[in-house]
Amino acid sequence: MSDPVQTTEPRVVLSARGLGKDFSGFTAVNNVNLDVHHARIHALIGPNGAGKTTVFNLLTKFLPPTRGRITLLGTDITKMSPDVVARMGLVRSFQISAVFPHLTVLENVRVALQRPAELHIQFWRPMKSLEVLNGRAEVLLNDLGLMEYRDTRAADLSYGRKRVLEIATTLALDPEVLLLDEPMAGMGHEDVHMVSDIIREVAQHRAVLMVEHNLSVVADICHHVTVLQRGEILAEGDYETVASDPRVRTAYMGSDA
Amino acid sequence: MADQSRTADMTPTAAADAPAPRRGVTMLLVVIGLVLLIAAPFYLYPVFVMTLLCFGLFAAAFNLLLGYTGLLSFGHATFFGGSAYFTAHAAKEWGWPPEFALILGVLGAIGLGLVMGAIAIRRQGIYFAMITLALSQMFFFACLQMPFTHGEDGIQSVPRGVLFGLIDLDQPLNMYFFVAAMFVFGLAAIWRIVNSPFGMILKAIRENEQRAVSLGYSVAQYKLAAFVMSAAFAGLAGGLKALVMEFATLTDVTWQMSGEVILMTLLGGIGTMAGPVVGAGVIIALQNRLATSDFPVTIITGLVFMVCVMLFRRGIIGELMESRLGRMLGLR
């Protein structure tokens, strides 16, 4: 039991079995089995329309699955609502940057901190009572290089910074499992590097599942890759295995490759 | 790293500088408002000002939902008129003192708000508005049929009573200052709700509902809470109006009343504290002025609404805050 090999073997925190979703007759996702491990970065890749975002919506319960079971930290979450799943420690980001545009950068992060701090239903207390959360929010802003935009409205940030802010807000919840939907999309070069480093850093203490089109990022930071095509799993394994799979090459390059 | 520490040093001073003039100007405006409120009955007809205050509070309650939560209810007359009926009935038929009659009215509005809110928040946008409209029409027909409302006649000659067994509300000035105090209390409470930890979550839900869900917030519960709070303050306004006018009638539960409060809020400025009150003032003053003429009031209010939507969408107060003067005063 105390064998070090056993303890370093990462445990499964999120798993899906036979996951499927039909949209009025059209099968968007079919028979997807997925195991996401603690302290591992897992990439979900595939051509456009492969069903990656649908899988995300199913796992986070934003969509109810037609078939299959989902387990989070040993609990069956197949029939739970998205906010309950989020409170259990499965937090996602969105493909289109999801910030609160008219709140400041600090307030954006603080909104995430309010729930765990039990400061979200007090309608009789002044706004000042939220200032106790500023310290923690500022640590996150500092870590992600957003400190100088602390009092800027989120709407006024550049696209790349909005995405970074979204990650900061997500991290504020200290989630057990982090689902990132195309975190690098639309980012400049330096930002991609910074966000890669952040993801690698945070994945030391939690599981990360990310949809990503930037394959060099996937090759660089992901431990495990799952390739989706037409809603089904085409290939699985580490990046080298998957990249050398002829079926994957066909899916990405067309039938001639 | 050096860069970060420099900005970190700068932020506190920047943050301390910004709100200072703003807070001063806001305090000054609040004081001016209070002075006007105290002086008004000596220069204007008190019942007119009291009506204005009741509708101002009603619109502010509505704005708590539309402006700060992003929910457009088309059934707020239910809470306003419903509470008016409950208050009037308790004061007249049961002989309750005004404070208890009002509390009953507010509790009734809360009950109605719970039912309507629990059904309506399951849908969004136009469907939410349609459900609230349908439910408020059901309430209207219930009021038409139920014996205690006296149908088309309404509840007439409601006694204002003696407040706390001490203050005779039949004295116009006593009544005025009671209404003014409730108005100030209502607005202060709404301001507190909006500027509270709870209000911050409401704002987040309005800005991006999906994101709020993904952060673990049970959005439906916050919406329902905001809906019920809005209903409660609308009920306070309706109960007060019944005591001011000394009657409660079907007019206050019609869909036109639900529409009127939307108009007041949009005209004054959605999502601002003073806007709904100003909007209510303009509409009530217009109605008052045109009440004796042959010209139909609805045509004028309709025109006012069109001009508002086409020329100043932020409303009177909203545009003022965005204007150069507003920016200069730091109101934005």
Side-chain angles (χ1 to χ4, degrees):
Chain A
M1 288 296 263
S2 57
D3 185 355
V5 179
Q6 287 270 322
T7 49
T8 51
E9 179 63 28
R11 64 179 199 277
V12 175
V13 285
L14 174 69
S15 85
R17 287 288 169 272
L19 200 59
K21 179 68 186 176
D22 299 344
F23 291 110
S24 51
F26 168 70
T27 304
V29 171
N30 193 31
N31 197 28
V32 165
N33 298 317
L34 208 62
D35 281 320
V36 181
H37 296 82
H38 180 76
R40 285 284 182 276
I41 304 174
H42 190 143
L44 196 57
I45 65 170
N48 283 325
K52 304 180 294 289
T53 298
T54 307
V55 168
F56 254 49
N57 284 332
L58 293 174
L59 290 175
T60 49
K61 309 303 303 146
F62 274 77
L63 280 176
T66 315
R67 291 172 297 279
R69 268 184 46 227
I70 306 165
T71 319
L72 172 66
L73 304 166
T75 312
D76 189 328
I77 60 163
T78 314
K79 292 198 159 48
M80 290 186 180
S81 62
D83 52 303
V84 175
V85 172
R87 289 199 288 273
M88 288 174 66
L90 173 64
V91 181
R92 70 173 295 181
S93 71
F94 290 83
Q95 195 169 6
I96 303 158
S97 86
V99 294
F100 303 114
H102 292 98
L103 305 189
T104 66
V105 167
L106 180 81
E107 285 169 341
N108 263 274
V109 176
R110 228 169 45 184
V111 164
L113 293 171
Q114 276 181 249
R115 190 181 48 73
E118 302 280 334
L119 268 173
H120 53 110
I121 55 165
Q122 286 85 343
F123 62 83
W124 58 90
R125 291 183 66 176
M127 208 60 112
K128 263 190 180 315
S129 60
L130 291 176
E131 285 174 9
V132 296
L133 302 175
N134 285 5
R136 272 204 61 201
E138 281 166 359
V139 168
L140 276 159
L141 294 183
N142 241 329
D143 287 351
L144 301 194
L146 287 173
M147 196 56 193
E148 60 179 301
Y149 305 101
R150 181 187 185 272
D151 298 310
T152 309
R153 286 198 320 173
D156 299 333
L157 292 178
S158 71
Y159 184 77
R161 293 218 170 81
K162 276 185 197 149
R163 307 243 42 168
V164 176
L165 172 60
E166 195 186 341
I167 293 174
T169 310
T170 310
L171 287 177
L173 290 179
D174 197 13
E176 196 79 22
V177 187
L178 192 58
L179 267 63
L180 303 171
D181 199 351
E182 298 193 28
M184 320 283 187
M187 265 188 200
H189 247 305
E190 310 89 71
D191 286 343
V192 167
H193 269 292
M194 185 186 73
V195 174
S196 292
D197 288 344
I198 291 166
I199 294 174
R200 214 195 318 249
E201 166 82 25
V202 301
Q204 290 178 1
H205 315 289
R206 54 177 64 83
V208 174
L209 176 66
M210 57 191 275
V211 169
E212 188 50 62
H213 280 301
N214 188 334
L215 290 184
S216 67
V217 171
V218 173
D220 191 27
I221 66 171
C222 295
H223 304 97
H224 196 87
V225 180
T226 298
V227 187
L228 272 186
Q229 191 194 16
R230 295 194 197 96
E232 301 194 33
I233 291 180
L234 184 67
E236 241 187 309
D238 60 26
Y239 185 77
E240 282 72 31
T241 318
V242 166
S244 57
D245 191 315
R247 291 170 306 169
V248 175
R249 291 175 157 270
T250 311
Y252 263 91
M253 318 289 188
S255 50
D256 293 330
Chain B
M1 203 52 214
D3 192 26
Q4 279 173 357
S5 62
R6 180 178 56 83
T7 49
D9 286 340
M10 275 170 63
T11 8
T13 46
D17 279 350
R22 187 195 158 136
R23 180 171 295 174
V25 170
T26 311
M27 283 305 290
L28 186 68
L29 289 175
V30 168
V31 169
I32 292 173
L34 285 173
V35 169
L36 286 176
L37 200 59
I38 292 167
F42 302 103
Y43 297 96
L44 296 162
Y45 179 46
V47 172
F48 166 70
V49 186
M50 287 191 280
T51 313
L52 201 155
L53 293 180
C54 291
F55 278 99
L57 180 56
F58 182 28
F62 178 78
N63 187 41
L64 172 61
L65 198 58
L66 178 62
Y68 295 102
T69 320
L71 295 176
L72 172 60
S73 158
F74 216 101
H76 256 51
T78 295
F79 315 123
F80 186 69
S83 168
Y85 273 129
F86 302 144
T87 306
H89 184 78
K92 190 186 176 192
E93 304 295 332
W94 300 338
W96 284 20
E99 64 274 17
F100 287 114
L102 261 182
I103 289 172
L104 181 81
V106 172
L107 289 178
I110 288 174
L112 290 168
L114 270 172
V115 174
M116 189 186 280
I119 298 170
I121 52 161
R122 292 156 192 273
R123 292 288 174 270
Q124 284 160 347
I126 190 74
Y127 302 102
F128 175 88
M130 295 311 284
I131 291 170
T132 53
L133 174 61
L135 290 172
S136 76
Q137 282 302 92
M138 285 170 64
F139 185 73
F140 169 80
F141 284 108
C143 287
L144 188 62
Q145 298 296 333
M146 277 191 291
F148 93 98
T149 62
H150 299 285
E152 303 272 4
D153 298 335
I155 305 176
Q156 299 290 341
S157 54
V158 176
R160 285 179 178 173
V162 181
L163 185 67
F164 306 128
L166 290 172
I167 304 161
D168 180 11
L169 294 182
D170 276 328
Q171 298 290 324
L173 276 186
N174 287 356
M175 186 65 195
Y176 176 81
F177 283 108
F178 172 58
V179 172
M182 294 314 285
F183 171 80
V184 170
F185 161 77
L187 279 198
I190 290 170
W191 186 86
R192 164 52 70 233
I193 291 170
V194 168
N195 293 289
S196 71
F198 174 77
M200 185 57 102
I201 304 301
L202 289 186
K203 222 180 279 181
I205 290 172
R206 185 194 63 191
E207 297 261 297
N208 194 332
E209 186 169 335
Q210 294 282 67
R211 183 56 175 161
V213 172
S214 80
L215 294 178
Y217 290 106
S218 309
V219 165
Q221 289 174 17
Y222 292 89
K223 284 185 177 175
L224 181 59
F227 195 89
V228 171
M229 287 175 190
S230 173
F233 289 107
L236 178 63
L240 277 176
K241 189 193 169 229
L243 292 176
V244 168
M245 308 302 280
E246 304 182 334
F247 60 73
T249 62
L250 281 173
T251 318
D252 291 346
V253 287
T254 55
W255 65 266
Q256 286 93 336
M257 183 59 72
S258 298
E260 209 159 85
V261 75
I262 298 175
L263 173 59
M264 289 171 179
T265 307
L266 290 181
L267 179 65
I270 177 177
T272 62
M273 281 313 291
V277 179
V278 171
V282 172
I283 298 291
I284 298 297
L286 263 179
Q287 288 177 347
N288 215 46
R289 182 57 62 88
L290 296 172
T292 47
S293 82
D294 294 333
F295 203 80
V297 183
T298 42
I299 291 185
I300 297 291
T301 47
L303 281 173
V304 167
F305 185 62
M306 282 166 60
V307 168
C308 171
V309 168
M310 294 177 82
L311 293 182
F312 51 105
R313 289 199 191 171
R314 294 190 190 95
I316 298 168
I317 296 296
E319 294 290 345
L320 191 71
M321 282 163 70
E322 285 290 323
S323 70
R324 200 174 292 170
L325 178 72
R327 281 164 193 273
M328 207 174 72
L329 294 174
L331 289 176
R332 187 174 164 264

